[in-house]
mmCIF file of all heavy atoms in Angstrom:
data_model
loop_
_atom_site.group_PDB
_atom_site.id
_atom_site.type_symbol
_atom_site.label_atom_id
_atom_site.label_comp_id
_atom_site.label_asym_id
_atom_site.label_seq_id
_atom_site.Cartn_x
_atom_site.Cartn_y
_atom_site.Cartn_z
ATOM 1 N N GLU A 30 0.832 -1.205 0.000
ATOM 2 C CA GLU A 30 0.000 0.000 0.000
ATOM 3 C C GLU A 30 0.866 1.254 0.000
ATOM 4 O O GLU A 30 0.553 2.239 -0.676
ATOM 5 C CB GLU A 30 -0.925 0.003 1.216
ATOM 6 C CG GLU A 30 -2.018 -1.057 1.156
ATOM 7 C CD GLU A 30 -2.784 -1.154 2.465
ATOM 8 O OE1 GLU A 30 -2.305 -0.568 3.471
ATOM 9 O OE2 GLU A 30 -3.840 -1.800 2.485
ATOM 10 N N ALA A 31 1.964 1.233 0.765
ATOM 11 C CA ALA A 31 2.864 2.382 0.816
ATOM 12 C C ALA A 31 3.541 2.611 -0.539
ATOM 13 O O ALA A 31 3.693 3.751 -0.993
ATOM 14 C CB ALA A 31 3.918 2.183 1.909
ATOM 15 N N ILE A 32 3.946 1.516 -1.180
ATOM 16 C CA ILE A 32 4.554 1.627 -2.509
ATOM 17 C C ILE A 32 3.550 2.234 -3.494
ATOM 18 O O ILE A 32 3.879 3.142 -4.278
ATOM 19 C CB ILE A 32 5.008 0.243 -3.020
ATOM 20 C CG1 ILE A 32 6.305 -0.186 -2.324
ATOM 21 C CG2 ILE A 32 5.205 0.267 -4.532
ATOM 22 C CD1 ILE A 32 7.554 0.468 -2.864
ATOM 23 N N ASP A 33 2.313 1.736 -3.474
ATOM 24 C CA ASP A 33 1.287 2.231 -4.390
ATOM 25 C C ASP A 33 1.005 3.718 -4.135
ATOM 26 O O ASP A 33 0.834 4.503 -5.079
ATOM 27 C CB ASP A 33 -0.006 1.432 -4.230
ATOM 28 C CG ASP A 33 0.143 -0.003 -4.731
ATOM 29 O OD1 ASP A 33 1.074 -0.252 -5.523
ATOM 30 O OD2 ASP A 33 -0.656 -0.858 -4.315
ATOM 31 N N GLN A 34 0.955 4.083 -2.864
ATOM 32 C CA GLN A 34 0.694 5.475 -2.520
ATOM 33 C C GLN A 34 1.829 6.375 -3.008
ATOM 34 O O GLN A 34 1.605 7.437 -3.584
ATOM 35 C CB GLN A 34 0.541 5.623 -1.008
ATOM 36 C CG GLN A 34 0.318 7.067 -0.561
ATOM 37 C CD GLN A 34 0.359 7.191 0.946
ATOM 38 O OE1 GLN A 34 0.234 6.202 1.651
ATOM 39 N NE2 GLN A 34 0.531 8.407 1.435
ATOM 40 N N SER A 35 3.055 5.940 -2.761
ATOM 41 C CA SER A 35 4.211 6.733 -3.176
ATOM 42 C C SER A 35 4.280 6.845 -4.695
ATOM 43 O O SER A 35 4.554 7.921 -5.246
ATOM 44 C CB SER A 35 5.495 6.089 -2.642
ATOM 45 O OG SER A 35 6.629 6.875 -2.974
ATOM 46 N N LEU A 36 4.034 5.747 -5.401
ATOM 47 C CA LEU A 36 4.044 5.767 -6.856
ATOM 48 C C LEU A 36 2.972 6.712 -7.392
ATOM 49 O O LEU A 36 3.224 7.511 -8.305
ATOM 50 C CB LEU A 36 3.810 4.357 -7.395
ATOM 51 C CG LEU A 36 3.606 4.222 -8.908
ATOM 52 C CD1 LEU A 36 4.811 4.751 -9.657
ATOM 53 C CD2 LEU A 36 3.324 2.770 -9.278
ATOM 54 N N ALA A 37 1.770 6.634 -6.825
ATOM 55 C CA ALA A 37 0.680 7.490 -7.287
ATOM 56 C C ALA A 37 1.019 8.959 -7.087
ATOM 57 O O ALA A 37 0.754 9.801 -7.949
ATOM 58 C CB ALA A 37 -0.616 7.139 -6.549
ATOM 59 N N GLU A 38 1.628 9.283 -5.939
ATOM 60 C CA GLU A 38 1.977 10.671 -5.657
ATOM 61 C C GLU A 38 3.082 11.161 -6.591
ATOM 62 O O GLU A 38 3.046 12.288 -7.085
ATOM 63 C CB GLU A 38 2.422 10.813 -4.200
ATOM 64 C CG GLU A 38 2.647 12.251 -3.747
ATOM 65 C CD GLU A 38 1.374 13.068 -3.784
ATOM 66 O OE1 GLU A 38 0.286 12.505 -3.560
ATOM 67 O OE2 GLU A 38 1.468 14.279 -4.044
ATOM 68 N N SER A 39 4.074 10.313 -6.858
ATOM 69 C CA SER A 39 5.153 10.689 -7.776
ATOM 70 C C SER A 39 4.626 10.930 -9.183
ATOM 71 O O SER A 39 4.971 11.931 -9.826
ATOM 72 C CB SER A 39 6.226 9.594 -7.818
ATOM 73 O OG SER A 39 6.968 9.551 -6.625
ATOM 74 N N VAL A 40 3.799 10.009 -9.677
ATOM 75 C CA VAL A 40 3.246 10.146 -11.026
ATOM 76 C C VAL A 40 2.339 11.371 -11.105
ATOM 77 O O VAL A 40 2.350 12.111 -12.101
ATOM 78 C CB VAL A 40 2.482 8.875 -11.426
ATOM 79 C CG1 VAL A 40 1.709 9.089 -12.728
ATOM 80 C CG2 VAL A 40 3.447 7.709 -11.573
ATOM 81 N N ARG A 41 1.549 11.596 -10.058
ATOM 82 C CA ARG A 41 0.660 12.765 -10.040
ATOM 83 C C ARG A 41 1.468 14.053 -10.119
ATOM 84 O O ARG A 41 1.145 14.952 -10.892
ATOM 85 C CB ARG A 41 -0.186 12.759 -8.768
ATOM 86 C CG ARG A 41 -1.221 13.883 -8.731
ATOM 87 C CD ARG A 41 -1.975 13.884 -7.422
ATOM 88 N NE ARG A 41 -2.655 12.615 -7.199
ATOM 89 C CZ ARG A 41 -2.358 11.756 -6.240
ATOM 90 N NH1 ARG A 41 -1.367 12.029 -5.398
ATOM 91 N NH2 ARG A 41 -3.034 10.637 -6.112
ATOM 92 N N TRP A 42 2.538 14.154 -9.325
ATOM 93 C CA TRP A 42 3.377 15.359 -9.344
ATOM 94 C C TRP A 42 4.052 15.517 -10.700
ATOM 95 O O TRP A 42 4.096 16.619 -11.258
ATOM 96 C CB TRP A 42 4.438 15.269 -8.245
ATOM 97 C CG TRP A 42 5.245 16.523 -8.101
ATOM 98 C CD1 TRP A 42 5.029 17.542 -7.225
ATOM 99 C CD2 TRP A 42 6.407 16.896 -8.867
ATOM 100 N NE1 TRP A 42 5.973 18.521 -7.403
ATOM 101 C CE2 TRP A 42 6.821 18.161 -8.399
ATOM 102 C CE3 TRP A 42 7.105 16.298 -9.906
ATOM 103 C CZ2 TRP A 42 7.923 18.824 -8.929
ATOM 104 C CZ3 TRP A 42 8.202 16.960 -10.452
ATOM 105 C CH2 TRP A 42 8.607 18.204 -9.958
ATOM 106 N N TYR A 43 4.591 14.433 -11.232
ATOM 107 C CA TYR A 43 5.297 14.466 -12.515
ATOM 108 C C TYR A 43 4.366 14.946 -13.625
ATOM 109 O O TYR A 43 4.695 15.848 -14.399
ATOM 110 C CB TYR A 43 5.823 13.059 -12.810
ATOM 111 C CG TYR A 43 6.799 12.948 -13.964
ATOM 112 C CD1 TYR A 43 8.152 12.737 -13.722
ATOM 113 C CD2 TYR A 43 6.368 13.016 -15.275
ATOM 114 C CE1 TYR A 43 9.056 12.602 -14.768
ATOM 115 C CE2 TYR A 43 7.260 12.881 -16.336
ATOM 116 C CZ TYR A 43 8.599 12.676 -16.076
ATOM 117 O OH TYR A 43 9.482 12.555 -17.118
ATOM 118 N N ASN A 44 3.172 14.351 -13.705
ATOM 119 C CA ASN A 44 2.217 14.731 -14.743
ATOM 120 C C ASN A 44 1.734 16.164 -14.570
ATOM 121 O O ASN A 44 1.553 16.896 -15.547
ATOM 122 C CB ASN A 44 1.014 13.781 -14.731
ATOM 123 C CG ASN A 44 1.282 12.505 -15.496
ATOM 124 O OD1 ASN A 44 2.088 12.493 -16.415
ATOM 125 N ND2 ASN A 44 0.616 11.434 -15.113
ATOM 126 N N ASP A 45 1.519 16.574 -13.310
ATOM 127 C CA ASP A 45 1.059 17.933 -13.059
ATOM 128 C C ASP A 45 2.087 18.946 -13.538
ATOM 129 O O ASP A 45 1.743 19.956 -14.158
ATOM 130 C CB ASP A 45 0.787 18.118 -11.563
ATOM 131 C CG ASP A 45 0.350 19.537 -11.238
ATOM 132 O OD1 ASP A 45 -0.747 19.935 -11.676
ATOM 133 O OD2 ASP A 45 1.111 20.257 -10.555
ATOM 134 N N ARG A 46 3.363 18.680 -13.258
ATOM 135 C CA ARG A 46 4.411 19.600 -13.686
ATOM 136 C C ARG A 46 4.498 19.683 -15.211
ATOM 137 O O ARG A 46 4.649 20.764 -15.779
ATOM 138 C CB ARG A 46 5.751 19.172 -13.089
ATOM 139 C CG ARG A 46 6.907 20.135 -13.346
ATOM 140 C CD ARG A 46 6.602 21.526 -12.829
ATOM 141 N NE ARG A 46 6.367 21.568 -11.407
ATOM 142 C CZ ARG A 46 7.307 21.855 -10.516
ATOM 143 N NH1 ARG A 46 8.535 22.106 -10.908
ATOM 144 N NH2 ARG A 46 7.010 21.902 -9.228
ATOM 145 N N LEU A 47 4.377 18.559 -15.877
ATOM 146 C CA LEU A 47 4.404 18.557 -17.342
ATOM 147 C C LEU A 47 3.203 19.292 -17.925
ATOM 148 O O LEU A 47 3.330 20.046 -18.894
ATOM 149 C CB LEU A 47 4.442 17.124 -17.868
ATOM 150 C CG LEU A 47 5.749 16.343 -17.666
ATOM 151 C CD1 LEU A 47 5.612 14.951 -18.257
ATOM 152 C CD2 LEU A 47 6.928 17.062 -18.314
ATOM 153 N N GLU A 48 2.022 19.077 -17.335
ATOM 154 C CA GLU A 48 0.820 19.733 -17.842
ATOM 155 C C GLU A 48 0.888 21.240 -17.647
ATOM 156 O O GLU A 48 0.463 22.009 -18.515
ATOM 157 C CB GLU A 48 -0.422 19.170 -17.136
ATOM 158 C CG GLU A 48 -0.799 17.767 -17.572
ATOM 159 C CD GLU A 48 -1.103 17.695 -19.061
ATOM 160 O OE1 GLU A 48 -1.710 18.649 -19.595
ATOM 161 O OE2 GLU A 48 -0.723 16.697 -19.698
ATOM 162 N N ARG A 49 1.413 21.675 -16.509
ATOM 163 C CA ARG A 49 1.545 23.113 -16.269
ATOM 164 C C ARG A 49 2.497 23.733 -17.268
ATOM 165 O O ARG A 49 2.233 24.807 -17.823
ATOM 166 C CB ARG A 49 2.036 23.355 -14.838
ATOM 167 C CG ARG A 49 0.983 23.088 -13.772
ATOM 168 C CD ARG A 49 1.589 23.001 -12.399
ATOM 169 N NE ARG A 49 2.345 24.194 -12.050
ATOM 170 C CZ ARG A 49 3.153 24.279 -10.991
ATOM 171 N NH1 ARG A 49 3.319 23.222 -10.217
ATOM 172 N NH2 ARG A 49 3.777 25.394 -10.722
ATOM 173 N N ALA A 50 3.625 23.078 -17.517
ATOM 174 C CA ALA A 50 4.591 23.601 -18.484
ATOM 175 C C ALA A 50 3.982 23.646 -19.879
ATOM 176 O O ALA A 50 4.171 24.611 -20.624
ATOM 177 C CB ALA A 50 5.853 22.747 -18.473
ATOM 178 N N ARG A 51 3.229 22.601 -20.233
ATOM 179 C CA ARG A 51 2.615 22.551 -21.563
ATOM 180 C C ARG A 51 1.576 23.665 -21.720
ATOM 181 O O ARG A 51 1.513 24.324 -22.775
ATOM 182 C CB ARG A 51 1.964 21.192 -21.771
ATOM 183 C CG ARG A 51 1.393 21.002 -23.171
ATOM 184 C CD ARG A 51 0.760 19.627 -23.329
ATOM 185 N NE ARG A 51 1.737 18.563 -23.207
ATOM 186 C CZ ARG A 51 1.785 17.697 -22.208
ATOM 187 N NH1 ARG A 51 0.896 17.774 -21.226
ATOM 188 N NH2 ARG A 51 2.707 16.758 -22.167
ATOM 189 N N ALA A 52 0.784 23.893 -20.687
ATOM 190 C CA ALA A 52 -0.247 24.927 -20.764
ATOM 191 C C ALA A 52 0.378 26.313 -20.907
ATOM 192 O O ALA A 52 -0.106 27.161 -21.669
ATOM 193 C CB ALA A 52 -1.126 24.877 -19.508
ATOM 194 N N ILE A 53 1.467 26.549 -20.184
ATOM 195 C CA ILE A 53 2.136 27.844 -20.266
ATOM 196 C C ILE A 53 2.735 28.053 -21.648
ATOM 197 O O ILE A 53 2.646 29.136 -22.240
ATOM 198 C CB ILE A 53 3.209 27.954 -19.172
ATOM 199 C CG1 ILE A 53 2.536 28.063 -17.789
ATOM 200 C CG2 ILE A 53 4.118 29.166 -19.400
ATOM 201 C CD1 ILE A 53 3.496 27.944 -16.634
ATOM 202 N N PHE A 54 3.333 26.999 -22.188
ATOM 203 C CA PHE A 54 3.906 27.095 -23.528
ATOM 204 C C PHE A 54 2.831 27.441 -24.556
ATOM 205 O O PHE A 54 3.018 28.310 -25.412
ATOM 206 C CB PHE A 54 4.572 25.763 -23.909
ATOM 207 C CG PHE A 54 6.055 25.781 -23.750
ATOM 208 C CD1 PHE A 54 6.642 25.376 -22.571
ATOM 209 C CD2 PHE A 54 6.864 26.229 -24.775
ATOM 210 C CE1 PHE A 54 8.012 25.399 -22.416
ATOM 211 C CE2 PHE A 54 8.241 26.251 -24.630
ATOM 212 C CZ PHE A 54 8.819 25.836 -23.445
ATOM 213 N N ILE A 55 1.695 26.745 -24.480
ATOM 214 C CA ILE A 55 0.614 26.993 -25.428
ATOM 215 C C ILE A 55 0.107 28.424 -25.295
ATOM 216 O O ILE A 55 -0.154 29.107 -26.289
ATOM 217 C CB ILE A 55 -0.528 25.985 -25.218
ATOM 218 C CG1 ILE A 55 -0.060 24.580 -25.607
ATOM 219 C CG2 ILE A 55 -1.757 26.374 -26.039
ATOM 220 C CD1 ILE A 55 -1.052 23.491 -25.277
ATOM 221 N N GLY A 56 -0.010 28.890 -24.043
ATOM 222 C CA GLY A 56 -0.467 30.258 -23.813
ATOM 223 C C GLY A 56 0.468 31.294 -24.403
ATOM 224 O O GLY A 56 0.040 32.254 -25.050
ATOM 225 N N ILE A 57 1.769 31.094 -24.194
ATOM 226 C CA ILE A 57 2.749 32.046 -24.716
ATOM 227 C C ILE A 57 2.780 32.006 -26.242
ATOM 228 O O ILE A 57 2.775 33.040 -26.915
ATOM 229 C CB ILE A 57 4.146 31.744 -24.152
ATOM 230 C CG1 ILE A 57 4.178 32.081 -22.661
ATOM 231 C CG2 ILE A 57 5.209 32.550 -24.881
ATOM 232 C CD1 ILE A 57 3.970 33.545 -22.361
ATOM 233 N N LEU A 58 2.820 30.806 -26.803
ATOM 234 C CA LEU A 58 2.893 30.690 -28.255
ATOM 235 C C LEU A 58 1.638 31.247 -28.923
ATOM 236 O O LEU A 58 1.704 31.816 -30.014
ATOM 237 C CB LEU A 58 3.085 29.221 -28.644
ATOM 238 C CG LEU A 58 4.434 28.603 -28.256
ATOM 239 C CD1 LEU A 58 4.445 27.114 -28.582
ATOM 240 C CD2 LEU A 58 5.580 29.303 -28.971
ATOM 241 N N GLY A 59 0.489 31.098 -28.251
ATOM 242 C CA GLY A 59 -0.757 31.562 -28.841
ATOM 243 C C GLY A 59 -1.039 33.028 -28.618
ATOM 244 O O GLY A 59 -1.843 33.622 -29.336
ATOM 245 N N HIS A 60 -0.381 33.655 -27.640
ATOM 246 C CA HIS A 60 -0.705 35.036 -27.308
ATOM 247 C C HIS A 60 0.468 35.980 -27.522
ATOM 248 O O HIS A 60 0.410 36.897 -28.345
ATOM 249 C CB HIS A 60 -1.197 35.121 -25.857
ATOM 250 C CG HIS A 60 -1.564 36.509 -25.442
ATOM 251 N ND1 HIS A 60 -0.660 37.374 -24.859
ATOM 252 C CD2 HIS A 60 -2.731 37.192 -25.536
ATOM 253 C CE1 HIS A 60 -1.255 38.530 -24.610
ATOM 254 N NE2 HIS A 60 -2.509 38.438 -25.003
ATOM 255 N N ASP A 61 1.570 35.740 -26.809
ATOM 256 C CA ASP A 61 2.669 36.707 -26.823
ATOM 257 C C ASP A 61 3.419 36.750 -28.150
ATOM 258 O O ASP A 61 3.982 37.780 -28.513
ATOM 259 C CB ASP A 61 3.642 36.401 -25.686
ATOM 260 C CG ASP A 61 3.010 36.643 -24.328
ATOM 261 O OD1 ASP A 61 3.082 37.778 -23.834
ATOM 262 O OD2 ASP A 61 2.428 35.700 -23.787
ATOM 263 N N LEU A 62 3.442 35.638 -28.870
ATOM 264 C CA LEU A 62 4.141 35.635 -30.150
ATOM 265 C C LEU A 62 3.277 36.171 -31.296
ATOM 266 O O LEU A 62 3.785 36.439 -32.384
ATOM 267 C CB LEU A 62 4.598 34.213 -30.500
ATOM 268 C CG LEU A 62 5.780 33.655 -29.716
ATOM 269 C CD1 LEU A 62 6.042 32.213 -30.103
ATOM 270 C CD2 LEU A 62 7.036 34.487 -29.971
ATOM 271 N N ARG A 63 1.996 36.349 -31.024
ATOM 272 C CA ARG A 63 1.087 36.746 -32.091
ATOM 273 C C ARG A 63 1.417 38.132 -32.642
ATOM 274 O O ARG A 63 1.441 38.346 -33.862
ATOM 275 C CB ARG A 63 -0.350 36.722 -31.561
ATOM 276 C CG ARG A 63 -1.393 37.018 -32.622
ATOM 277 C CD ARG A 63 -2.784 36.969 -32.016
ATOM 278 N NE ARG A 63 -3.039 35.665 -31.420
ATOM 279 C CZ ARG A 63 -4.063 35.404 -30.617
ATOM 280 N NH1 ARG A 63 -4.902 36.359 -30.302
ATOM 281 N NH2 ARG A 63 -4.233 34.199 -30.123
ATOM 282 N N THR A 64 1.690 39.087 -31.767
ATOM 283 C CA THR A 64 1.931 40.461 -32.219
ATOM 284 C C THR A 64 3.185 40.596 -33.073
ATOM 285 O O THR A 64 3.108 41.126 -34.195
ATOM 286 C CB THR A 64 1.995 41.406 -31.010
ATOM 287 O OG1 THR A 64 0.735 41.368 -30.324
ATOM 288 C CG2 THR A 64 2.276 42.836 -31.455
ATOM 289 N N PRO A 65 4.367 40.147 -32.603
ATOM 290 C CA PRO A 65 5.548 40.283 -33.468
ATOM 291 C C PRO A 65 5.441 39.460 -34.754
ATOM 292 O O PRO A 65 5.953 39.866 -35.792
ATOM 293 C CB PRO A 65 6.702 39.797 -32.587
ATOM 294 C CG PRO A 65 6.076 38.961 -31.533
ATOM 295 C CD PRO A 65 4.726 39.571 -31.299
#
């Protein structure tokens, strides 16, 4: 149970960090680069 809990928390953190980075990239590419 401890292994499963630790694995779930690690994967959750890893995926969350990737999703946040991806969302920020999409936002910048879609907005800030539009004007230049």
Side-chain angles (χ1 to χ4, degrees):
E30 291 172 348
I32 284 282
D33 291 340
Q34 178 188 343
S35 183
L36 172 59
E38 187 64 32
S39 289
V40 171
R41 185 183 301 114
W42 186 96
Y43 191 106
N44 277 333
D45 178 67
R46 186 57 61 95
L47 289 180
E48 287 300 322
R49 287 166 56 191
R51 185 180 296 112
I53 290 170
F54 259 92
I55 292 173
I57 290 296
L58 292 175
H60 181 269
D61 293 272
L62 286 176
R63 184 180 302 168
T64 299

